[in-house]
Amino acid sequence: MELNDDEIRRYSRQLSLPEVGLEGQKKICSASVLCLGAGGLGSPVAMYLAAAGIGKLGILDFDLVDLSNLQRQIIHGTADVGRPKTQSAAATLHRLNPHIQVVLHETRLTSENALNIIRPYDLVVDGTDNFPTRYLANDACVLLKKPNVYGSIFRFEGHASVFAPHLGGPCYRCLYPEPPPPGAVPSCAEGGVLGVLPGVIGVIQATEILKLVLGQGRSLLNRLLLFNALDMQFRELKLRRDPQCPLCGDNPVITQLINYQTFCGAQPAAATAPMHPDEVTVHELKRALDDPQLGIQVLDVREPDEYQIARIKGARLVPLSALPKRLAELDPNQPYYIHCKAGGRSLQALQFLRERGFQRLKSVQGGITAWSDQIDRSVPKY
């Protein structure tokens, strides 16, 4: 391929680098990258790759832009709220660089479509935020021999690496052979995330992609980069391929994609999760609160900073993290309706209390988010 005058001017600062030059820029413009997710990590990755001139960018996402996304998902704007993320991202990328091709995959990555979607691309960048999709992307990349540029974020910390067994490195399963139990790791919606953090990790992922395309420098293959924003500290762990890995080891037993929802113990997204026997709806909570004779007390097991943002009137704050130390403050004979943000922590608190003799317990399904949606819209959502 040849670069036209506009492209030469556009990429002039890269062309002047001896490690890039004209031939290197041609490699960049000929490369294709699939970005899994157009959210916190996908935003800086896609924007910097587009600016650098990656010739074909695939954007896979099935979600709509929400107001809560805008604190960190910089590829979207206020006017995009309610719009499919793929379409919003494509508009931004085309404004940034009209020379690139943007291919939209407005779908969820599944075991049925992953191989066909990933196959046409040279590299994959993982901007996903859940374990089933993360394992699925890893397995598909290993089976197709595609480099998987990994990143993850939570609160103030981020990780980055390159998984590519065909290049001599490990895969994601070598690092995490088994997923954590469902609910053990809070989502960003539950735990929060500093808005600039995905920018830092996403830029590292974009850097790794450009280095791989150019064949320059030392990649994060065989290394896991750890970043702590509060300490402004980077640390590095050495990784190596696990010979016993069921996917990329010496005797692999995973030779095709599996059911990743089942593997991770997760409820399929398209299905409606059945209520736990000890759960009540927010409507049942409202009816109980409206009947003083029931004598229920609402127990809020979120953290104090969450309680400051939004609360149910009359709820008593006892954070899940402090529950063991504050157990003596609670009456085993008192009926408690326990809530958190979305229902996960309240079920953990219920189990903890039940094991210590508390019997009159209910967990509020959907937590304060469902209360805001269905009962009292004046309660802020966060």
Side-chain angles (χ1 to χ4, degrees), residues 21-43:
L22 186 60
E23 292 307 310
Q25 187 61 51
K26 288 180 180 180
K27 290 180 181 179
I28 293 173
C29 292
S30 299
S32 59
V33 177
L34 175 63
C35 187
L36 299 178
L41 291 171
S43 291

Side-chain angles (χ1 to χ4, degrees), residues 77-89:
T78 303
D80 296 313
V81 171
R83 188 181 186 187
K85 287 185 178 180
T86 51
Q87 296 179 22
S88 171

Side-chain angles (χ1 to χ4, degrees), residues 269-305:
T272 301
M275 284 191 66
H276 189 280
D278 291 318
E279 278 187 317
V280 294
T281 67
V282 288
H283 294 281
E284 291 172 301
L285 170 61
K286 177 69 165 57
R287 286 194 293 270
L289 288 173
D290 289 342
D291 186 352
Q293 293 185 353
L294 295 177
I296 74 158
Q297 186 171 102
V298 180
L299 207 60
D300 186 336
V301 295
R302 298 174 300 149
E303 294 300 314
D305 55 333

Side-chain angles (χ1 to χ4, degrees), residues 285 289 296-302 307 312-320 322-323 326-327 329-331 334-341 345-350 352-354 358 360-364 367-368:
L285 170 61
L289 288 173
I296 74 158
Q297 186 171 102
V298 180
L299 207 60
D300 186 336
V301 295
R302 298 174 300 149
Y307 187 80
I312 296 174
K313 186 178 180 180
R316 179 179 179 181
L317 178 65
V318 182
L320 178 62
L323 196 53
R326 297 181 59 180
L327 191 61
E329 301 177 19
L330 304 178
D331 181 359
Q334 167 71 40
Y336 291 109
Y337 278 39
I338 310 170
H339 87 84
C340 59
K341 182 179 181 182
R345 285 174 285 177
S346 58
L347 279 173
Q348 293 179 47
L350 182 145
F352 176 84
L353 292 173
R354 180 147 291 165
F358 290 72
R360 305 174 69 185
L361 305 171
K362 292 293 181 183
S363 173
V364 181
I368 198 169

